[in-house]
Amino acid sequence: MPQKRHYFFIGILLFVFCCNKYPKVSFSEINIPFKNNSIVEVNIPKSEGNKTISNNINDEISKTVAAALTIGDPNTEPSKSIKESIDNFNSAYEKFKVSFPESDMPWEAQIDGEVIYKSPEIISLAITSYINTGGAHGISIVSFLNFKAATGEKISNEQLITDLEGFKKVVKPYFDKTITNENIPIFDTNNFHLPINIGYTEDGLVLLYNTYEIAPYSSGIIEFRIPLEDVQPFLAFNSL
């Protein structure tokens, strides 16, 4: 009997340890509606559970959405809230209509977010924005946000990768294959650089170049995936 009791307590300790390793947050999808607003729609994940972790994640989501809705000088500091950003976007549209009354094309902003990966160590989100301010075409931009699951702190690419040169050597053949197979004309064929957006998915690490980042508009968004086991030695966070 004492031996069985010993195993029982070990089992409880292991259970508690494993539970504590997993993210203390969950996610729901929210729609942010505003009265008298027919040109902006925002559908984003909301982190819930541990207050500190959730606040850190939700704040970064809000900053990303606000930045996407900021019109004009890219160096302009985005609004501090999504509601204020939408109000500013609509105000800019109203001013545009006054200045160009002959234009009957409404501005449009569609922003959607989703959780693309969650493990005991890392959480990855994707925020996709489509903004059209009356030009010949709109622009779609995808932003990956990586977070430490234990704290909700945002992880930069520099913090994500422990061996940059080793990582690039593994990534380059996947990049070359994508460019060749899809016949993509890139701006600079002599220099290879990593994209701004790197995120985790269940199918592997995804690397994504937004429109105009390395190729003309006609090439659109360029992305490719690498099996996690191929790049895990160069990553700071265990995802396997």
Side-chain angles (χ1 to χ4, degrees), residues 139-213:
I139 296 293
S140 293
I141 295 178
V142 179
S143 299
F144 290 150
L145 303 176
N146 297 306
F147 301 95
K148 296 178 182 179
T151 64
E153 294 175 90
K154 184 180 177 182
I155 305 169
S156 67
N157 286 351
E158 290 75 18
Q159 295 171 315
L160 192 68
I161 302 167
T162 57
D163 180 355
L164 183 61
E165 292 307 314
F167 182 78
K168 289 173 71 174
K169 286 179 181 178
V170 174
V171 169
K172 184 66 160 57
Y174 287 91
F175 172 83
D176 291 339
K177 183 178 180 181
T178 301
I179 296 301
T180 301
N181 289 350
E182 299 183 19
N183 195 27
I184 299 172
I186 62 175
F187 293 139
D188 187 352
T189 57
N190 296 319
N191 296 305
F192 168 70
H193 67 270
L194 296 173
I196 296 172
N197 289 287
I198 300 174
Y200 285 75
T201 72
E202 295 294 340
D203 298 325
L205 198 71
V206 58
L207 288 83
L208 182 147
Y209 297 88
N210 276 303
T211 305
Y212 292 125
E213 190 172 342

Side-chain angles (χ1 to χ4, degrees), residues 51-205:
K51 188 174 181 180
T52 300
I53 298 175
S54 293
N55 284 346
N56 288 337
I57 294 174
N58 291 331
D59 284 349
E60 288 297 332
I61 294 173
S62 295
K63 288 178 184 178
T64 302
V65 173
L69 291 169
T70 299
I71 304 301
D73 186 351
N75 295 319
T76 301
E77 184 177 352
S79 303
K80 297 188 181 299
S81 71
I82 294 177
K83 181 182 184 306
E84 184 181 349
S85 299
I86 293 177
D87 290 341
N88 290 343
F89 185 89
N90 286 327
S91 295
Y93 173 53
E94 294 301 325
K95 292 177 182 178
F96 173 81
K97 288 197 299 183
V98 172
S99 300
F100 301 95
E102 69 280 2
S103 175
D104 58 358
M105 181 178 291
W107 286 12
E108 181 183 1
Q110 174 76 38
I111 299 178
D112 297 290
E114 62 176 327
V115 179
I116 57 176
Y117 189 83
K118 188 166 71 167
S119 81
E121 290 197 10
I122 191 166
I123 299 171
S124 290
L125 278 64
I127 307 294
T128 303
S129 64
Y130 172 79
I131 308 294
N132 190 334
T133 55
H137 52 72
I139 296 293
S140 293
I141 295 178
V142 179
S143 299
F144 290 150
L145 303 176
N146 297 306
F147 301 95
K148 296 178 182 179
T151 64
E153 294 175 90
K154 184 180 177 182
I155 305 169
S156 67
N157 286 351
E158 290 75 18
Q159 295 171 315
L160 192 68
I161 302 167
T162 57
D163 180 355
L164 183 61
E165 292 307 314
F167 182 78
K168 289 173 71 174
K169 286 179 181 178
V170 174
V171 169
K172 184 66 160 57
Y174 287 91
F175 172 83
D176 291 339
K177 183 178 180 181
T178 301
I179 296 301
T180 301
N181 289 350
E182 299 183 19
N183 195 27
I184 299 172
I186 62 175
F187 293 139
D188 187 352
T189 57
N190 296 319
N191 296 305
F192 168 70
H193 67 270
L194 296 173
I196 296 172
N197 289 287
I198 300 174
Y200 285 75
T201 72
E202 295 294 340
D203 298 325
L205 198 71

